[in-house]
Each structure stands twice: as structure tokens, then as C-alpha cells.
Amino acid sequence: ALVTGAFFEAIAFLPLMLNRLRGEPLEVGGYVLTVASLGWTLGSWLQSRHWLRLSRDAIVSVGVAACVVGLTIASACTFLPAVPLWVLVVGMSATGVGMGMSSSSTSILVMQLSDAHALGRNTSSLQVGETMGNAVVVAVAGTIFALLNARGEQVASFAVPSVLVAVIALVALVFSRRIGHVPNLSARP
């Protein structure tokens, strides 16, 4: 819920941030989001490779760590609009890769750890949790944005929510370390 909410908050505000703080046309935001989604595809592909010998819980943690790094880079780019656009693209790409690794692996973890009779309930709970995470994080960030924007604090209205989501992703990383060892059944010697 936390990392998913952080990711979707970041992409919700990205095109507007690029337009207002950097003067970029809105389609540039679309290009950056496209690259981030390609990163998600790459992360999903990586976590499913048989040669990846990480345990399933480690894949989730590595993915969430990539999100933390990427969201921190994106946050820095929000505070410092003079940072080149390619740095933001790299940050959002890392975030996308992290989401691809962690999101797919979280679903697999739930299926591996669930008894047959609880599988439906548990996978539904995961979907509800991710949706709630999206809604709550985007709502809180949107409220902060609206309050700061109304006071004319253009940079802060984007920067404060971007720091918030980087911190939320960091909290998700701490929580991901509590999963416990779960073997990667896709890995082959």
C-alpha cells in the first residue's frame, strides 16, 4: 500500500510539476511517464527470470529500495528545477523498475504464503490495500499541494509532497524487511 501510493502520487503530479516549475509542455511529462512505465515492464521481466537467484522477499526489498532511490532523485529535481531533465528521467525509470519488481513479487508472495482456502481473500486484501494506498497517499499529497499552492508557494507545493512520498517509500522499505525469507520458485540452479 505504501510504495504503490508513493509511486502513483509521484506520477500524478509529474506532468504538472514539469509544466509549472520547468516550463515544459505537458507532453514532456507524458514522455517521462512512458519511460517510467517501460521501467516497470523491465522490473516485472527481471523478477521473473530464472537466473535471478534472489529470494522472493529480497526481490521485493530491492524493488522498494529502487523506488526510494528514484523518488528521492525525483524529489531533488522538484526542489532544484535547474537539474537536467535526464536526471529526473533516470529517477523515474528507477522507480518504475522498482515497482515492476516489488509489485509483481508482492502478488507472488501472497500466493506462496496463502493456504488454498485463503488465497482469494488474501489476494483481494492485497488489491484493496494497494488501492487504499493510492487513494490515501494521493489525497494527502493533493491536500498539501492545494494548501501550499493557494498560498502562492509554487516550488513548495510540489516539493513537500515529493519529499513525503520519498519518506513513505522509505517506510515501505523498512516494512519490506519484515517479510521473512520466502524462496524464489522461479529461480533455477
Side-chain angles (χ1 to χ4, degrees):
L2 294 175
V3 73
T4 304
F7 175 78
F8 283 105
E9 185 283 335
I11 65 169
F13 284 88
L14 185 75
L16 187 61
M17 181 276 290
L18 287 170
N19 180 262
R20 288 206 183 155
L21 296 185
R22 293 175 172 254
E24 299 286 350
L26 289 175
E27 58 266 13
V28 170
Y31 299 144
V32 176
L33 294 179
T34 299
V35 172
S37 69
L38 292 173
W40 188 314
T41 302
L42 176 62
S44 293
W45 178 82
L46 283 172
Q47 66 83 36
S48 69
R49 298 298 92 192
H50 66 86
W51 44 260
L52 186 63
R53 298 283 191 320
L54 295 175
S55 63
R56 194 52 66 179
D57 57 293
I59 294 171
V60 171
S61 293
V62 167
V64 175
C67 289
V68 171
V69 169
L71 291 171
T72 301
I73 291 170
S75 181
C77 291
T78 303
F79 273 105
L80 307 166
V83 172
L85 183 61
W86 67 265
V87 175
L88 179 62
V89 171
V90 168
M92 291 309 296
S93 297
T95 305
V97 170
M99 282 302 297
M101 292 180 75
S102 63
S103 180
S104 299
S105 290
T106 301
S107 297
I108 292 168
L109 274 171
V110 168
M111 288 187 278
Q112 277 185 243
L113 295 174
S114 296
D115 293 328
H117 70 278
L119 185 58
R121 182 184 66 222
N122 293 346
T123 56
S124 296
S125 295
L126 177 63
Q127 287 179 328
V128 168
E130 289 176 344
T131 303
M132 291 267 309
N134 292 345
V136 170
V137 173
V138 171
V140 169
T143 301
I144 294 168
F145 171 82
L147 291 171
L148 292 171
N149 195 48
R151 293 192 337 203
E153 298 179 29
Q154 185 83 354
V155 173
S157 65
F158 291 101
V160 172
S162 73
V163 169
L164 173 68
V165 296
V167 169
I168 288 171
L170 184 59
V171 170
L173 178 60
V174 171
F175 287 162
S176 77
R177 300 303 303 145
R178 299 183 64 217
I179 294 171
H181 180 74
V182 179
N184 180 358
L185 301 178
S186 299
R188 289 188 212 123

